[in-house]
Amino acid sequence: MFSMLNIHREVCGYCGACVSVCPEGALELIDAYLSVSDVCVNCGICARVCPLGALEVVHEE
Amino acid sequence: MKSEYDVLVVGGGPGGATAAKAAVEAGLSACIIEKRPAIGTPVRCAEGVGEELLAEFIDPDPRWIAAKIDGARIIAPDGGELNLSPEMAGNEVGYVLDRKIFDRELVWQAAVAGADVFVKARATDAIVEDGVVRGAVVEYMGGRKEVRAKVTVAADGVESKFARWCGMDTAVPMAELETCAQYLMTGIDIDPSLTVFYLGNEVAPEGYVWVFPKGERRANVGIGISGKKSGKGHRARDYLETFVRRHFPDGKVIELIVGGVSVCRPLACTVADGLIVIGDAARLSDPITGGGIYNAMYTGNLAGKVAADCIRGGDVSREALMVYDRTWRESPMGKAIERNYKIKEFFITLDDEKLNTLINSAKNIEMDKFSTLTLVRELIQHNPRMLLELQALKKSLG
Ligand SMILES: Cc1cc2nc3c(=O)[nH]c(=O)nc-3n(C[C@H](O)[C@H](O)[C@H](O)COP(=O)(O)OP(=O)(O)OC[C@H]3O[C@@H](n4cnc5c(N)ncnc54)[C@H](O)[C@@H]3O)c2cc1C
């Protein structure tokens, strides 16, 4: 199975709450653009804390 | 942008601006780099700050004071009200700011004092040589440039990466990140001189709703909940919508504000060789209120001064910079964070029934001057049924 963190950019409020909880340091806020690096382990912590629901870990077979 | 400064400040919030100003006033060269194109926007704050605290650093100016607050009201889950006079509410009363103007003013003052300032200039990495932090790699106007400094100040807020690049673990535990949403509302019925806090597991699990007036009929209406209570369908924004529909159905929303506030303990150590970490980046917001404006300014000012002393003494090692870490921990701010962390740990264990009991019993407590210990002692007197847990709290507070 393949997992991946999806960012819904139209929902994101670029507040950086997700960046602060990321255990891997995979997220970074570049002004109004949230970036994910390949050290992301799809743990989903960011997706839970996001105040708007802009992040989602999707699983594909 | 020069390629070398005495002090390089990463982040142009209240912490970074105050640090740069203190550094230049102590005779150093300093530079602020801010990744956003404008200082102070987007706002990520409810904008409440204590009057006396702020006066330590800046004279009040009507341009950035949206409202003057005379008291606070806490609403229990059952609707019971606890009114706090200014003496009792202490640092929770004062001003509601207009941070777009306030933050700008602070950076302005740092610039006038002599600091360099660059916006849309982002640190992308730390320069670390033999374990010593020597500045930052900065992305600016499409290019990358090394900016070296004797001391680098990480003032990069809740989304801080700088200290992490220097090898510190700065991740906030999910349960200790308050995830927040706020509306700036207009056309609502409020008392413009009163801040109001709503508690309860239904309204805001492990957090609270705040109404901070910004003048007649307008206010910051926001909520923070624990990250561990947040998830699909029950996020901060969902709770805020529910609250607003019930309390201010006719209000209009003119701004949506989102953000995270850490309510964990501060970083175990806030310095390294050539590095000082301040404000939200050091996880210094208050674990109960989430307030961090003053804490950022206090640690910023201290960082600027300590950097100056250490640079003058020719020693910017971790040991030398430890003066900064020790000083803030022993300050009233540091002690308040430690005490409020323990109180927060107690409060999140309470169900709504117990919250009701405590808040309603606190109404009958008279205090001339606010003291947490007196309050806890009185609460024990008034609530014999909660004796054990309250005594445990009292003991933890020492
Ligand atoms: C919803 C909400 C409500 C709040 N309410 C209150 C309140 O009522 N009262 C109160 O006192 N506090 C409140 N706070 C907390 C308060 O906003 C912060 O504590 C305060 O802003 C911290 O100041 P700072 O200077 O440490 O960081 P910030 O103000 O966050 O500034 C950090 C700056 O660094 C910049 N930056 C980050 N990374 C980089 C990089 N790599 N390169 C360059 N620049 C970078 C950011 O863009 C930002 O401008 C609230 C917070 C939230 C989210």
Side-chain angles (χ1 to χ4, degrees):
Chain A
M1 200 173 69
F2 167 82
S3 304
M4 174 180 164
L5 181 67
N6 258 356
I7 302 172
H8 300 291
R9 300 201 178 276
E10 70 287 5
V11 178
C12 176
Y14 38 91
C15 72
C18 54
V19 179
S20 72
V21 292
C22 177
E24 306 299 324
L27 294 165
E28 194 168 345
L29 192 60
I30 304 175
D31 186 18
Y33 183 91
L34 182 65
S35 78
V36 205
S37 80
D38 54 13
V39 300
C40 173
V41 295
N42 305 305
C43 68
I45 293 178
C46 57
R48 274 190 62 185
V49 307
C50 176
L52 297 176
L55 296 159
E56 185 186 18
V57 178
V58 290
H59 307 281
E60 272 168 34
E61 291 300 323
Chain B
M1 198 180 301
K2 296 190 204 126
S3 45
E4 202 165 339
Y5 291 90
D6 292 323
V7 174
L8 175 64
V9 180
V10 180
T18 311
K21 181 159 178 263
V24 290
E25 282 176 349
L28 303 180
S29 64
C31 176
I32 300 174
I33 51 165
E34 167 55 56
K35 72 181 172 186
R36 304 185 194 169
I39 303 286
T41 60
V43 174
R44 292 179 197 143
C45 189
E47 307 178 295
V49 74
E51 179 177 355
E52 280 170 32
L53 293 177
L54 202 59
E56 286 177 31
F57 298 111
I58 189 165
D59 295 329
D61 184 335
R63 282 181 308 144
W64 43 255
I65 297 172
K68 174 95 181 56
I69 302 301
D70 305 321
R73 175 176 295 157
I74 296 174
I75 314 257
D78 66 1
E81 294 182 359
L82 172 64
N83 289 307
L84 301 178
S85 62
E87 303 77 52
M88 292 259 292
N91 297 337
E92 303 329 312
V93 294
Y95 305 125
V96 178
L97 304 174
D98 194 332
R99 276 199 61 185
K100 283 177 190 147
I101 301 171
F102 178 75
D103 285 23
R104 226 171 237 247
E105 178 64 25
L106 292 179
V107 171
W108 210 280
Q109 291 193 2
V112 169
D116 275 0
V117 182
F118 296 92
V119 295
K120 206 147 171 62
R122 182 173 66 98
T124 59
D125 206 351
I127 303 172
V128 184
E129 288 167 358
D130 302 323
V132 182
V133 179
R134 300 206 188 272
V137 180
V138 183
E139 204 171 68
Y140 183 60
M141 306 229 321
R144 269 181 198 217
K145 180 176 166 125
E146 284 199 353
V147 180
R148 297 184 158 258
K150 298 192 179 87
V151 172
T152 306
V153 176
D156 44 350
V158 74
E159 82 256 33
S160 169
K161 295 288 288 271
F162 199 85
R164 189 190 273 269
W165 295 328
C166 300
M168 293 181 176
D169 179 9
T170 60
V172 177
M174 176 169 67
E176 297 194 313
L177 190 274
E178 290 288 304
T179 159
C180 307
Q182 171 177 285
Y183 293 149
L184 172 55
M185 297 192 74
T186 168
I188 56 179
D189 249 334
I190 52 154
D191 178 340
S193 63
L194 203 65
T195 50
V196 187
F197 301 85
Y198 293 78
L199 300 182
N201 287 298
E202 251 164 65
V203 190
E206 294 189 16
Y208 63 87
V209 167
W210 62 82
V211 179
F212 285 9
K214 293 199 79 173
E216 296 284 339
R217 299 184 63 75
R218 56 179 68 158
N220 285 329
V221 180
I223 183 175
I225 61 171
S226 161
K228 79 167 192 277
K229 298 286 182 182
S230 166
K232 200 171 178 182
H234 50 98
R235 298 182 185 278
R237 176 93 187 262
D238 302 317
Y239 282 102
L240 180 61
E241 274 291 317
T242 308
F243 179 86
V244 162
R245 261 201 305 275
R246 175 146 171 241
H247 293 265
F248 304 121
D250 301 324
K252 302 204 168 91
V253 176
I254 65 164
E255 192 168 336
L256 165 67
I257 289 145
V258 279
V261 184
S262 64
V263 292
C264 53
R265 280 212 163 90
L267 296 186
C269 179
T270 54
V271 294
D273 292 329
L275 176 73
I276 303 181
V277 190
I278 67 169
D280 274 14
R283 312 312 184 202
L284 287 171
S285 43
D286 185 283
I288 290 189
T289 62
I293 301 171
Y294 169 78
N295 297 0
M297 292 174 76
Y298 168 79
T299 49
N301 182 56
L302 182 64
K305 290 188 167 148
V306 169
D309 288 345
C310 291
I311 290 172
R312 220 168 281 127
D315 182 0
V316 295
S317 66
R318 177 176 186 274
E319 286 64 40
L321 295 174
M322 270 308 278
V323 176
Y324 162 80
D325 191 275
R326 279 194 298 272
T327 306
W328 74 252
R329 280 183 213 273
E330 283 159 18
S331 72
M333 180 211 76
K335 289 189 174 144
I337 291 178
E338 182 57 24
R339 184 187 64 227
N340 287 353
Y341 182 81
K342 290 169 180 160
I343 298 176
K344 177 213 76 171
E345 288 290 282
F346 166 72
F347 258 92
I348 59 175
T349 63
L350 301 179
D351 57 24
D352 281 1
E353 201 184 319
K354 284 182 177 161
L355 273 176
N356 289 332
T357 310
L358 279 189
I359 294 171
N360 292 323
S361 75
K363 277 185 211 162
N364 306 318
I365 297 172
E366 296 269 343
M367 280 194 291
D368 306 331
K369 199 174 173 306
F370 182 79
S371 140
T372 313
L373 278 183
T374 315
L375 179 63
V376 176
R377 208 174 298 133
E378 289 285 326
L379 285 173
I380 292 176
Q381 291 243 318
H382 286 78
N383 299 285
R385 284 173 59 206
M386 289 176 70
L387 183 68
L388 282 181
E389 50 208 295
L390 283 168
Q391 268 179 342
L393 170 66
K394 185 164 162 243
K395 202 160 157 235
S396 80
L397 296 174

